[in-house]
Amino acid sequence: MEEEKKIPPAESQTESLRIGPKAYIALIVAIVYFSGALANVPDAKWLAAFDFSTLMGGFGKVKEGGTFLGSAGVGARQGFLFALSLAPGVMLALGCLEILSHYGALKAAQKLLTPLLRPLLGIPGVTGLALITDLQSTDAGAALTRELYEDKLITKKELVIMSSWQYSGAGMINNYFTIGSGAFAFLIAPLFIPLVLIFIFKFVGAIFVRFMLNTVYKGDFRNE
Amino acid sequence: MNETTQATTNNPCDIFVRGAKKGFNLAVGNLLPNILMAYVLTDILNRIGFLKLASDVFGPLMVIFGLPGEAVIVLLTTWFSSSAAIGLTASMVAAGSLTPHDVTIMMPAYFLLNAQIQYMGRLLGVAGVPARYWPLLMLTSLLNSCCAMLIMHWFVV
């Protein structure tokens, strides 16, 4: 990918588009679907049928526990297999997003979230869905981010800022409750405190990166 | 990736397949090479003993966060994989070198610093962030973790 690419500002392309109720419904569906809110509703387990992580499924087990990745693999071979194990999630995320954005979910996100994300992080609201997705799935979030850039909806600078938001604490909700649960027994503070801190610092970090891009790296973005 | 030759029907199944195809190209063209790179890099750093060296250098700084020197090993492991770090934590608590108090302070850092090497490929590489900014983003994660640990330190005292 070329370093310096002239891209028109994101708003100019989409400002004139009309956003009907269908688009907002699509957006709500997208947010609920990717956020993991329906993954484990105690009284309505069937709602998990509309949850991204649930639909991503699981690989069959190879003998006692473990997946086809086996255990204790290292280096390029393990990396290759691990990457293959992530592919279904990315395909599912982009497949569903394609449908939802067909009905205008991205445009609705842009309209609703721009007033929030623009002043805070200097990025358009169209990035909101990728950010929400990142809370649950790092890879799906990264894939959506790349789509936004390739569709020229965000500039390179906006790409760096939104990636910085995603990078620190990527997939935080999923990771916190799966990986983190191994340490829950030791916590002497309420469970939600570290999680809230992680969420806050995602914004703090991205604001810091925005500041750095506007000062130290200013020259890089002169033509945007 | 934006193939224009594809039939553009409005059938949701066809739309899904179009997106899934993009996902496959992305997974194979970007995710796979980037993760392979991250895994090889992790292996190299492990083999040359980076972890041990770094824990000797940074161990004394842990006092700032109210943590014992051993905690730095956990934080550095987090840099490669947070699941490995949590596993290590459990064994260190069992052995008595870490206390629940220490784990509570480090809790946000497990995720703010989570798998930075791997996510370099999985996130930054896939999203297409130029490598020029990767150090800045890593520094940001480190600052995030340090600030969060300071707040947790203040919170649990």
Side-chain angles (χ1 to χ4, degrees):
Chain A
M1 194 170 296
E2 312 94 291
E3 276 281 327
E4 309 288 334
K5 210 169 174 183
K6 276 187 190 166
I7 294 154
E11 291 99 324
S12 63
Q13 298 178 322
T14 38
E15 207 155 38
S16 57
L17 288 164
R18 276 196 202 90
I19 298 161
K22 218 160 65 174
Y24 288 109
I25 294 168
L27 174 64
I28 291 165
V29 170
I31 290 172
V32 171
Y33 174 73
F34 283 112
S35 69
L38 300 180
N40 208 355
V41 183
D43 292 325
K45 294 271 181 220
W46 57 273
L47 283 174
F50 306 100
D51 177 63
F52 174 71
S53 272
T54 307
L55 292 183
M56 205 148 70
F59 289 109
K61 300 280 185 281
V62 177
K63 59 176 207 180
E64 302 280 308
T67 64
F68 71 89
L69 297 175
S71 61
V74 287
R77 284 178 163 168
Q78 181 65 11
F80 185 88
L81 275 190
F82 179 63
L84 274 189
S85 76
L86 298 173
V90 174
M91 290 173 70
L92 177 62
L94 286 193
C96 292
L97 189 82
E98 193 81 4
I99 296 178
L100 294 164
S101 64
H102 177 78
Y103 294 110
L106 280 181
K107 284 167 212 149
Q110 168 143 20
K111 185 145 188 245
L112 288 177
L113 293 173
T114 297
L116 178 75
L117 292 176
R118 189 55 95 183
L120 213 51
L121 302 179
I123 56 177
V126 72
T127 60
L129 203 55
L131 299 186
I132 291 164
T133 304
D134 169 76
L135 295 178
Q136 207 190 0
S137 165
T138 311
D139 306 293
L144 301 187
T145 304
R146 189 186 187 89
E147 284 284 292
L148 288 175
Y149 183 69
E150 288 191 343
D151 294 343
K152 299 199 172 12
L153 293 170
I154 53 170
T155 64
K156 183 131 264 174
K157 187 173 169 184
E158 289 160 351
L159 172 79
V160 177
I161 294 173
M162 72 181 285
S163 297
S164 74
W165 190 93
Q166 295 174 74
Y167 189 49
S168 192
M172 62 171 248
I173 292 180
N174 241 9
N175 285 340
Y176 193 76
F177 289 104
T178 54
I179 300 169
S181 59
F184 283 175
F186 306 130
L187 287 188
I188 55 170
L191 200 57
F192 70 91
I193 302 255
L195 193 64
V196 170
L197 266 185
I198 296 165
F199 190 66
I200 292 171
F201 274 102
K202 280 173 94 76
F203 281 95
V204 173
I207 290 167
F208 170 72
V209 167
R210 182 193 183 188
F211 170 77
M212 291 296 279
L213 294 183
N214 284 335
T215 53
V216 180
Y217 295 92
K218 200 175 177 184
D220 296 10
F221 305 102
R222 214 159 266 155
N223 56 359
E224 280 189 354
Chain B
M1 206 165 296
N2 295 317
E3 286 141 274
T4 45
T5 49
Q6 281 171 348
T8 46
T9 63
N10 284 342
N11 179 326
C13 291
D14 288 342
I15 301 173
F16 178 86
V17 170
R18 267 206 307 275
K21 209 182 261 180
K22 283 189 200 168
F24 183 76
N25 289 336
L26 193 76
V28 172
N30 296 95
L31 199 58
L32 212 155
N34 276 301
I35 288 181
L36 202 138
M37 179 272 297
Y39 265 73
V40 173
L41 186 61
T42 303
D43 202 27
I44 292 172
L45 290 175
N46 267 333
R47 282 172 197 280
I48 62 175
F50 172 79
L51 205 62
K52 171 143 194 354
L53 180 80
S55 61
D56 289 347
V57 176
F58 297 114
L61 295 177
M62 289 297 106
V63 162
I64 302 168
F65 309 109
L67 295 169
E70 288 94 329
V72 79
I73 302 173
V74 173
L75 294 175
L76 283 167
T77 307
T78 306
W79 208 52
F80 295 97
S81 153
S82 62
S83 34
I86 296 276
L88 184 63
T89 301
S91 65
M92 285 173 83
V93 173
S97 44
L98 284 178
T99 63
H101 167 269
D102 304 331
V103 179
T104 309
I105 291 175
M106 285 192 289
M107 197 63 180
Y110 287 119
F111 303 96
L112 287 169
L113 213 53
N114 178 18
Q116 298 269 284
I117 297 271
Q118 205 186 94
Y119 284 159
M120 234 165 63
R122 274 173 76 180
L123 204 163
L124 304 183
V126 169
V129 176
R132 169 172 165 67
Y133 305 106
W134 292 7
L136 171 67
L137 267 49
M138 284 199 169
L139 175 73
T140 307
S141 299
L142 189 63
L143 289 176
N144 277 348
S145 309
C146 291
C147 296
M149 285 197 295
L150 284 176
I151 293 176
M152 285 308 287
H153 181 34
W154 167 81
F155 191 81
V156 295
V157 162

